Short mmCIF file of all heavy atoms in Angstrom, two decimals:
data_model
loop_
_atom_site.label_atom_id
_atom_site.label_comp_id
_atom_site.label_asym_id
_atom_site.label_seq_id
_atom_site.Cartn_x
_atom_site.Cartn_y
_atom_site.Cartn_z
N MET A 100 5.70 20.98 7.02
CA MET A 100 6.56 19.82 7.53
C MET A 100 7.30 19.11 6.39
O MET A 100 6.81 19.10 5.31
CB MET A 100 5.65 18.78 8.20
CG MET A 100 5.09 19.29 9.59
SD MET A 100 4.25 18.01 10.41
CE MET A 100 3.61 18.92 11.81
N ASP A 101 8.51 18.66 6.74
CA ASP A 101 9.25 17.93 5.79
C ASP A 101 8.99 16.38 5.89
O ASP A 101 9.40 15.78 6.86
CB ASP A 101 10.81 18.22 5.88
CG ASP A 101 11.57 17.47 4.93
OD1 ASP A 101 11.25 17.53 3.74
OD2 ASP A 101 12.49 16.76 5.29
N THR A 102 8.24 15.85 4.93
CA THR A 102 7.74 14.49 5.06
C THR A 102 8.88 13.51 5.23
O THR A 102 8.84 12.62 6.04
CB THR A 102 6.92 14.12 3.81
OG1 THR A 102 5.82 15.01 3.76
CG2 THR A 102 6.34 12.73 3.89
N ASN A 103 10.04 13.79 4.44
CA ASN A 103 11.18 12.75 4.57
C ASN A 103 11.75 12.79 6.08
O ASN A 103 12.11 11.77 6.58
CB ASN A 103 12.28 13.19 3.61
CG ASN A 103 11.93 12.59 2.22
OD1 ASN A 103 11.09 11.73 2.11
ND2 ASN A 103 12.50 13.23 1.19
N THR A 104 11.90 13.93 6.70
CA THR A 104 12.45 14.10 7.93
C THR A 104 11.51 13.37 8.95
O THR A 104 12.03 12.58 9.82
CB THR A 104 12.49 15.62 8.41
OG1 THR A 104 13.33 16.32 7.39
CG2 THR A 104 13.16 15.76 9.81
N ILE A 105 10.20 13.58 8.79
CA ILE A 105 9.28 12.93 9.74
C ILE A 105 9.28 11.37 9.54
O ILE A 105 9.50 10.66 10.57
CB ILE A 105 7.82 13.43 9.44
CG1 ILE A 105 7.76 14.92 9.66
CG2 ILE A 105 6.79 12.77 10.35
CD1 ILE A 105 7.84 15.42 11.07
N MET A 106 9.20 10.90 8.31
CA MET A 106 9.16 9.44 8.11
C MET A 106 10.58 8.84 8.60
O MET A 106 10.59 7.74 9.09
CB MET A 106 9.10 9.16 6.65
CG MET A 106 7.71 9.68 6.06
SD MET A 106 6.37 8.90 6.86
CE MET A 106 4.94 9.62 5.97
N SER A 107 11.64 9.57 8.43
CA SER A 107 12.95 9.00 8.80
C SER A 107 13.10 9.05 10.33
O SER A 107 14.14 8.38 10.87
CB SER A 107 14.09 9.77 8.22
OG SER A 107 13.94 9.76 6.79
N ALA A 108 12.26 9.69 11.04
CA ALA A 108 12.44 9.79 12.57
C ALA A 108 11.70 8.57 13.16
O ALA A 108 12.05 8.23 14.39
CB ALA A 108 11.73 11.09 13.02
N VAL A 109 11.00 7.88 12.44
CA VAL A 109 10.33 6.67 13.01
C VAL A 109 11.34 5.55 13.13
O VAL A 109 12.14 5.30 12.25
CB VAL A 109 9.15 6.15 12.08
CG1 VAL A 109 8.56 4.76 12.49
CG2 VAL A 109 8.10 7.22 11.93
N ASP A 110 11.37 4.88 14.31
CA ASP A 110 12.17 3.66 14.49
C ASP A 110 11.98 2.69 13.36
O ASP A 110 10.86 2.27 13.10
CB ASP A 110 11.88 3.06 15.88
CG ASP A 110 12.72 1.81 16.15
OD1 ASP A 110 13.38 1.26 15.13
OD2 ASP A 110 12.71 1.38 17.26
N PRO A 111 13.02 2.32 12.49
CA PRO A 111 12.86 1.43 11.42
C PRO A 111 12.15 0.16 11.78
O PRO A 111 11.45 -0.47 11.00
CB PRO A 111 14.29 1.19 10.90
CG PRO A 111 15.11 2.19 11.52
CD PRO A 111 14.42 2.78 12.68
N ASN A 112 12.38 -0.30 12.99
CA ASN A 112 11.74 -1.49 13.51
C ASN A 112 10.18 -1.41 13.68
O ASN A 112 9.55 -2.41 13.90
CB ASN A 112 12.34 -2.01 14.83
CG ASN A 112 13.84 -2.31 14.65
OD1 ASN A 112 14.30 -3.05 13.77
ND2 ASN A 112 14.70 -1.72 15.52
N LYS A 113 9.82 -0.22 13.83
CA LYS A 113 8.39 0.04 13.99
C LYS A 113 7.69 0.74 12.81
O LYS A 113 6.45 1.13 12.80
CB LYS A 113 8.09 0.96 15.19
CG LYS A 113 8.72 0.41 16.48
CD LYS A 113 8.35 1.28 17.71
CE LYS A 113 8.96 0.64 18.99
NZ LYS A 113 8.56 1.33 20.24
N ASP A 114 8.45 0.83 11.67
CA ASP A 114 8.02 1.45 10.44
C ASP A 114 7.13 0.62 9.64
O ASP A 114 7.54 0.08 8.65
CB ASP A 114 9.32 1.93 9.72
CG ASP A 114 9.12 2.41 8.33
OD1 ASP A 114 8.09 3.13 8.08
OD2 ASP A 114 9.87 2.06 7.52
N VAL A 115 5.84 0.51 10.07
CA VAL A 115 4.98 -0.48 9.44
C VAL A 115 4.52 0.00 8.00
O VAL A 115 3.94 -0.76 7.20
CB VAL A 115 3.67 -0.72 10.27
CG1 VAL A 115 4.05 -1.62 11.39
CG2 VAL A 115 3.06 0.59 10.71
N ASP A 116 4.84 1.22 7.71
CA ASP A 116 4.54 1.76 6.28
C ASP A 116 5.68 1.42 5.38
O ASP A 116 5.57 1.53 4.11
CB ASP A 116 4.35 3.31 6.23
CG ASP A 116 2.80 3.64 6.10
OD1 ASP A 116 2.13 2.77 5.61
OD2 ASP A 116 2.47 4.75 6.42
N GLY A 117 6.84 1.07 5.94
CA GLY A 117 8.02 0.70 5.05
C GLY A 117 8.57 1.89 4.31
O GLY A 117 9.15 1.71 3.32
N PHE A 118 8.41 3.03 4.87
CA PHE A 118 8.97 4.25 4.17
C PHE A 118 10.30 4.71 4.72
O PHE A 118 10.90 5.68 4.15
CB PHE A 118 8.02 5.41 4.36
CG PHE A 118 6.58 5.24 3.68
CD1 PHE A 118 5.53 5.98 4.00
CD2 PHE A 118 6.46 4.25 2.68
CE1 PHE A 118 4.29 5.88 3.38
CE2 PHE A 118 5.26 4.08 2.06
CZ PHE A 118 4.19 4.92 2.32
N HIS A 119 10.84 4.15 5.76
CA HIS A 119 12.15 4.56 6.27
C HIS A 119 13.27 4.08 5.37
O HIS A 119 13.24 3.09 4.85
CB HIS A 119 12.32 3.96 7.73
CG HIS A 119 13.41 4.55 8.53
ND1 HIS A 119 14.83 4.35 8.16
CD2 HIS A 119 13.52 5.48 9.55
CE1 HIS A 119 15.61 5.07 8.94
NE2 HIS A 119 14.81 5.72 9.77
N PRO A 120 14.24 5.03 5.18
CA PRO A 120 15.31 4.70 4.30
C PRO A 120 15.98 3.31 4.63
O PRO A 120 16.47 2.65 3.68
CB PRO A 120 16.38 5.83 4.44
CG PRO A 120 15.55 6.98 5.04
CD PRO A 120 14.40 6.39 5.82
N ILE A 121 16.00 2.93 5.95
CA ILE A 121 16.67 1.72 6.29
C ILE A 121 15.91 0.50 5.68
O ILE A 121 16.32 -0.44 5.16
CB ILE A 121 16.87 1.61 7.81
CG1 ILE A 121 18.00 2.52 8.12
CG2 ILE A 121 17.18 0.15 8.27
CD1 ILE A 121 18.60 2.44 9.53
N ASN A 122 14.56 0.59 5.83
CA ASN A 122 13.70 -0.47 5.28
C ASN A 122 13.75 -0.49 3.75
O ASN A 122 13.68 -1.57 3.18
CB ASN A 122 12.26 -0.28 5.78
CG ASN A 122 12.15 -0.84 7.15
OD1 ASN A 122 12.59 -1.95 7.46
ND2 ASN A 122 11.51 -0.10 8.05
N ARG A 123 13.89 0.71 3.13
CA ARG A 123 13.95 0.71 1.68
C ARG A 123 15.27 0.05 1.29
O ARG A 123 15.32 -0.72 0.25
CB ARG A 123 13.94 2.16 1.11
CG ARG A 123 12.63 2.86 1.44
CD ARG A 123 12.64 4.19 0.78
NE ARG A 123 11.51 5.04 1.10
CZ ARG A 123 10.31 4.99 0.55
NH1 ARG A 123 10.15 4.02 -0.47
NH2 ARG A 123 9.42 5.74 0.86
N GLY A 124 16.33 0.25 2.05
CA GLY A 124 17.64 -0.35 1.75
C GLY A 124 17.59 -1.80 1.90
O GLY A 124 18.09 -2.57 1.12
N LYS A 125 16.97 -2.23 2.98
CA LYS A 125 16.85 -3.62 3.28
C LYS A 125 16.03 -4.36 2.15
O LYS A 125 16.35 -5.53 1.82
CB LYS A 125 16.12 -3.96 4.68
CG LYS A 125 17.02 -3.65 5.85
CD LYS A 125 16.29 -3.98 7.09
CE LYS A 125 17.17 -3.88 8.37
NZ LYS A 125 16.43 -4.12 9.54
N LEU A 126 14.98 -3.71 1.73
CA LEU A 126 14.17 -4.27 0.60
C LEU A 126 15.09 -4.49 -0.68
O LEU A 126 15.11 -5.53 -1.26
CB LEU A 126 13.03 -3.39 0.26
CG LEU A 126 12.27 -3.60 -1.13
CD1 LEU A 126 11.54 -4.95 -0.98
CD2 LEU A 126 11.28 -2.55 -1.37
N LEU A 127 15.92 -3.49 -1.02
CA LEU A 127 16.87 -3.58 -2.07
C LEU A 127 17.79 -4.72 -1.86
O LEU A 127 18.14 -5.41 -2.91
CB LEU A 127 17.64 -2.32 -2.21
CG LEU A 127 17.21 -1.27 -3.15
CD1 LEU A 127 18.10 -0.04 -3.05
CD2 LEU A 127 17.18 -1.78 -4.62
N LEU A 128 18.17 -5.02 -0.65
CA LEU A 128 19.15 -6.12 -0.44
C LEU A 128 18.44 -7.44 -0.28
O LEU A 128 19.14 -8.45 -0.07
CB LEU A 128 19.95 -5.76 0.88
CG LEU A 128 20.87 -4.57 0.84
CD1 LEU A 128 21.35 -4.25 2.15
CD2 LEU A 128 21.96 -4.70 -0.19
N GLY A 129 17.12 -7.43 -0.28
CA GLY A 129 16.45 -8.70 -0.13
C GLY A 129 16.40 -9.20 1.28
O GLY A 129 16.18 -10.48 1.41
N ASP A 130 16.45 -8.37 2.25
CA ASP A 130 16.46 -8.83 3.72
C ASP A 130 14.96 -9.17 4.09
O ASP A 130 14.09 -8.34 3.99
CB ASP A 130 16.96 -7.66 4.53
CG ASP A 130 16.96 -8.00 6.05
OD1 ASP A 130 16.31 -8.97 6.43
OD2 ASP A 130 17.70 -7.33 6.80
N PRO A 131 14.70 -10.42 4.34
CA PRO A 131 13.35 -10.81 4.70
C PRO A 131 12.79 -10.05 5.92
O PRO A 131 11.50 -10.10 6.09
CB PRO A 131 13.50 -12.32 4.98
CG PRO A 131 14.86 -12.58 5.21
CD PRO A 131 15.67 -11.54 4.61
N LYS A 132 13.58 -9.47 6.73
CA LYS A 132 13.06 -8.75 7.90
C LYS A 132 12.61 -7.35 7.58
O LYS A 132 12.02 -6.63 8.37
CB LYS A 132 14.06 -8.68 8.99
CG LYS A 132 14.26 -10.08 9.72
CD LYS A 132 14.80 -9.91 11.08
CE LYS A 132 14.65 -11.11 11.86
NZ LYS A 132 15.34 -11.18 13.18
N ALA A 133 12.90 -6.89 6.25
CA ALA A 133 12.51 -5.63 5.94
C ALA A 133 10.99 -5.40 6.10
O ALA A 133 10.22 -6.31 5.75
CB ALA A 133 12.89 -5.28 4.51
N LEU A 134 10.57 -4.15 6.52
CA LEU A 134 9.18 -3.77 6.56
C LEU A 134 8.96 -3.11 5.20
O LEU A 134 9.58 -2.11 4.90
CB LEU A 134 8.76 -2.91 7.73
CG LEU A 134 8.82 -3.63 9.07
CD1 LEU A 134 8.87 -2.65 10.18
CD2 LEU A 134 7.63 -4.55 9.22
N VAL A 135 8.09 -3.72 4.35
CA VAL A 135 7.90 -3.22 2.96
C VAL A 135 6.59 -2.44 2.86
O VAL A 135 5.62 -2.79 3.40
CB VAL A 135 7.96 -4.44 2.05
CG1 VAL A 135 7.80 -3.91 0.57
CG2 VAL A 135 9.30 -5.17 2.08
N ALA A 136 6.61 -1.44 1.98
CA ALA A 136 5.36 -0.62 1.78
C ALA A 136 4.21 -1.50 1.55
O ALA A 136 4.22 -2.41 0.72
CB ALA A 136 5.67 0.38 0.62
N CYS A 137 3.03 -1.05 2.07
CA CYS A 137 1.84 -1.92 2.05
C CYS A 137 1.23 -2.23 0.67
O CYS A 137 0.86 -3.26 0.45
CB CYS A 137 0.88 -1.37 3.09
SG CYS A 137 1.40 -1.17 4.75
N THR A 138 1.13 -1.20 -0.12
CA THR A 138 0.46 -1.38 -1.42
C THR A 138 1.18 -2.33 -2.33
O THR A 138 0.64 -3.25 -2.84
CB THR A 138 0.23 0.00 -2.16
OG1 THR A 138 -0.61 0.82 -1.14
CG2 THR A 138 -0.58 -0.10 -3.41
N PRO A 139 2.59 -2.05 -2.53
CA PRO A 139 3.39 -3.09 -3.27
C PRO A 139 3.19 -4.51 -2.76
O PRO A 139 3.02 -5.47 -3.47
CB PRO A 139 4.81 -2.55 -3.23
CG PRO A 139 4.67 -1.08 -2.90
CD PRO A 139 3.36 -1.01 -2.07
N LEU A 140 3.26 -4.58 -1.37
CA LEU A 140 3.17 -5.89 -0.74
C LEU A 140 1.80 -6.56 -1.12
O LEU A 140 1.70 -7.76 -1.41
CB LEU A 140 3.16 -5.81 0.75
CG LEU A 140 4.49 -6.00 1.42
CD1 LEU A 140 4.19 -6.04 2.97
CD2 LEU A 140 5.16 -7.30 1.02
N GLY A 141 0.77 -5.70 -1.04
CA GLY A 141 -0.59 -6.16 -1.31
C GLY A 141 -0.75 -6.65 -2.77
O GLY A 141 -1.40 -7.67 -3.05
N VAL A 142 -0.08 -5.98 -3.73
CA VAL A 142 -0.06 -6.37 -5.11
C VAL A 142 0.58 -7.85 -5.26
O VAL A 142 0.03 -8.75 -5.87
CB VAL A 142 0.60 -5.44 -6.02
CG1 VAL A 142 0.77 -5.93 -7.40
CG2 VAL A 142 -0.20 -4.07 -6.08
N CYS A 143 1.72 -7.99 -4.62
CA CYS A 143 2.40 -9.26 -4.71
C CYS A 143 1.53 -10.40 -4.07
O CYS A 143 1.49 -11.50 -4.56
CB CYS A 143 3.79 -9.12 -4.01
SG CYS A 143 4.93 -8.17 -4.99
N GLU A 144 0.93 -10.00 -3.00
CA GLU A 144 0.07 -11.06 -2.22
C GLU A 144 -1.12 -11.46 -3.11
O GLU A 144 -1.46 -12.69 -3.14
CB GLU A 144 -0.34 -10.45 -0.91
CG GLU A 144 -0.83 -11.42 0.11
CD GLU A 144 0.13 -12.50 0.56
OE1 GLU A 144 1.36 -12.11 0.63
OE2 GLU A 144 -0.32 -13.64 0.84
N LEU A 145 -1.70 -10.51 -3.84
CA LEU A 145 -2.75 -10.81 -4.71
C LEU A 145 -2.27 -11.77 -5.72
O LEU A 145 -3.06 -12.73 -6.10
CB LEU A 145 -3.40 -9.61 -5.38
CG LEU A 145 -4.43 -8.75 -4.61
CD1 LEU A 145 -4.94 -7.61 -5.49
CD2 LEU A 145 -5.62 -9.63 -4.25
N LEU A 146 -1.23 -11.50 -6.37
CA LEU A 146 -0.71 -12.32 -7.41
C LEU A 146 -0.43 -13.75 -6.89
O LEU A 146 -0.71 -14.78 -7.55
CB LEU A 146 0.63 -11.74 -8.06
CG LEU A 146 0.46 -10.47 -8.73
CD1 LEU A 146 1.78 -9.85 -9.22
CD2 LEU A 146 -0.36 -10.63 -10.07
N LYS A 147 0.12 -13.84 -5.70
CA LYS A 147 0.44 -15.09 -5.10
C LYS A 147 -0.85 -15.90 -4.87
O LYS A 147 -0.93 -17.07 -5.28
CB LYS A 147 1.27 -14.84 -3.79
CG LYS A 147 1.95 -16.13 -3.29
CD LYS A 147 2.91 -15.74 -2.22
CE LYS A 147 2.36 -16.08 -0.84
NZ LYS A 147 3.11 -15.47 0.21
N ARG A 148 -1.83 -15.26 -4.24
CA ARG A 148 -3.03 -15.99 -3.83
C ARG A 148 -3.88 -16.31 -5.07
O ARG A 148 -4.76 -17.23 -5.01
CB ARG A 148 -3.80 -15.15 -2.86
CG ARG A 148 -3.02 -15.17 -1.53
CD ARG A 148 -3.76 -14.53 -0.44
NE ARG A 148 -2.92 -14.55 0.78
CZ ARG A 148 -3.28 -15.12 1.96
NH1 ARG A 148 -4.47 -15.58 2.06
NH2 ARG A 148 -2.42 -15.03 3.05
N TYR A 149 -3.67 -15.60 -6.14
CA TYR A 149 -4.37 -16.04 -7.40
C TYR A 149 -3.53 -16.90 -8.36
O TYR A 149 -3.82 -17.02 -9.54
CB TYR A 149 -4.92 -14.77 -8.18
CG TYR A 149 -6.35 -14.42 -7.60
CD1 TYR A 149 -6.38 -13.64 -6.43
CD2 TYR A 149 -7.52 -14.80 -8.19
CE1 TYR A 149 -7.63 -13.29 -5.92
CE2 TYR A 149 -8.75 -14.48 -7.68
CZ TYR A 149 -8.76 -13.74 -6.51
OH TYR A 149 -10.03 -13.40 -5.97
N HIS A 150 -2.45 -17.41 -7.74
CA HIS A 150 -1.51 -18.38 -8.45
C HIS A 150 -1.03 -17.79 -9.80
O HIS A 150 -0.93 -18.56 -10.76
CB HIS A 150 -2.25 -19.75 -8.69
CG HIS A 150 -2.79 -20.29 -7.46
ND1 HIS A 150 -2.06 -20.70 -6.35
CD2 HIS A 150 -4.08 -20.48 -6.98
CE1 HIS A 150 -2.84 -21.11 -5.34
NE2 HIS A 150 -4.00 -20.90 -5.71
N VAL A 151 -0.75 -16.55 -9.83
CA VAL A 151 -0.16 -15.86 -10.99
C VAL A 151 1.35 -16.16 -10.95
O VAL A 151 1.94 -15.52 -10.06
CB VAL A 151 -0.49 -14.45 -11.09
CG1 VAL A 151 0.13 -13.77 -12.33
CG2 VAL A 151 -2.05 -14.21 -11.10
N ALA A 152 1.83 -16.99 -11.82
CA ALA A 152 3.36 -17.09 -11.83
C ALA A 152 3.92 -15.83 -12.29
O ALA A 152 3.60 -15.27 -13.36
CB ALA A 152 3.67 -18.29 -12.80
#
Side-chain angles (χ1 to χ4, degrees):
M100 291 190 185
D101 178 52
T102 302
N103 280 339
T104 305
I105 302 287
M106 298 298 179
S107 303
V109 173
D110 178 345
N112 296 309
K113 300 185 178 187
D114 167 41
V115 286
D116 252 342
F118 292 164
H119 193 286
I121 288 191
N122 280 315
R123 293 184 190 280
K125 282 184 175 175
L126 168 65
L127 265 176
L128 296 171
D130 182 340
K132 286 200 165 173
L134 290 166
V135 179
C137 301
T138 303
L140 263 189
V142 171
C143 290
E144 197 61 33
L145 273 182
L146 293 173
K147 195 165 104 192
R148 289 186 182 235
Y149 274 81
H150 309 291
V151 177

